[in-house]
Amino acid sequence: MNKYMKIADELARDNLKTSAGGPFGAVIVKDGEIVGKGSNHVLKNNDPTAHAEIMAIRDACKNLNTFDLTGCVIYTSCYPCPMCLSAIIWANIKEVYYGNTKEDAKNIGFRDDFIYEYFDKLISGCDNETLRLMPVGREETIVAFNEFMVKEDKKMY
Ligand SMILES: [Zn+2]
C-alpha cells in the first residue's frame, strides 16, 4: 500500500478503538512530508464538521501557519463527502487519493451518497424535502459585499 495511505488507514483503524467518530483518517502531504493528520472526531468533539479531511486540513494549516495548502496533496481513507471536497478545494489542494469509495461509506451506514444525490437534484431542479433554501434580506446582506469590493486592504483567498 502507498505509505501515506497506510497512515490514513491506520488513523481510521485507530479510531475504531475510540469513540471519537467513524473509521476515517486522512493525511496531508507536501513535498513528500506529512504536514497534517486527522481522524473523524464528530462524536468526541460534538462537531458534525469534524471529518478526517477537515481535521487534517486544520492540522496542516496550523502546522504551516497558512490558510493556503497549495502544493499539498491529501490521502484519505474514504472518498471525501461533499463538505470535505469543498473544504479541499477551498484549501487549494489539487490532488486527492482515496481508499474506500462513497458507496463503501453508504454500505456501512454513512450518508455521503445521500448528500451527493441531493446535489444532483439541486443542480437539475429542486429538492425541498432534504433542505429548503430561501432567499431573504439580500438588500441588507449585499451591503457588506459592496463594502468589501471597495475595501483597500482586503486579502483574497
Ligand atoms: Zn467529509
Side-chain angles (χ1 to χ4, degrees):
M1 189 193 275
N2 172 286
K3 67 177 179 178
Y4 303 117
M5 183 56 77
K6 191 169 189 302
I7 295 166
D9 183 47
E10 282 167 5
L11 288 163
R13 288 169 190 245
D14 286 347
N15 237 25
L16 286 171
K17 299 172 198 153
T18 73
S19 50
F24 304 97
V27 296
I28 293 176
V29 177
K30 186 171 193 181
D31 301 326
E33 251 183 68
I34 293 173
V35 294
K37 289 183 187 179
S39 59
N40 188 293
H41 274 61
V42 168
L43 302 177
K44 187 177 182 190
N45 295 6
N46 281 327
D47 179 357
T49 70
H51 288 192
E53 299 92 328
I54 303 272
M55 299 297 282
I57 287 169
R58 288 174 183 161
D59 189 42
C61 287
K62 190 176 163 208
N63 291 336
L64 299 175
N65 192 31
T66 180
F67 56 84
D68 183 358
L69 298 180
T70 296
C72 294
V73 300
I74 187 165
Y75 291 79
T76 173
S77 68
C78 186
Y79 191 92
C81 78
M83 173 183 71
C84 291
L85 273 184
S86 300
I88 289 164
I89 294 168
W90 275 116
N92 293 319
I93 294 171
K94 303 287 187 205
E95 283 181 22
V96 178
Y97 298 92
Y98 63 93
N100 298 322
T101 67
K102 57 181 187 281
E103 291 77 19
D104 294 331
K106 180 188 174 187
N107 290 339
I108 63 163
F110 290 92
R111 294 179 291 168
D112 305 45
D113 218 44
F114 165 76
I115 301 173
Y116 277 106
E117 284 169 21
Y118 166 70
F119 280 120
D120 284 344
K121 286 187 233 168
L122 190 68
I123 290 162
S124 63
C126 202
D127 171 8
N128 282 323
E129 279 178 40
T130 305
L131 188 68
R132 292 187 298 144
L133 283 163
M134 295 153 292
V136 63
R138 183 174 176 268
E139 63 282 359
E140 294 297 322
T141 59
I142 198 67
V143 173
F145 275 23
N146 290 337
E147 288 176 8
F148 178 78
M149 279 295 287
V150 297
K151 187 175 189 305
E152 301 217 335
D153 61 343
K154 70 185 169 220
K155 188 173 184 180
M156 292 308 298
Y157 55 87

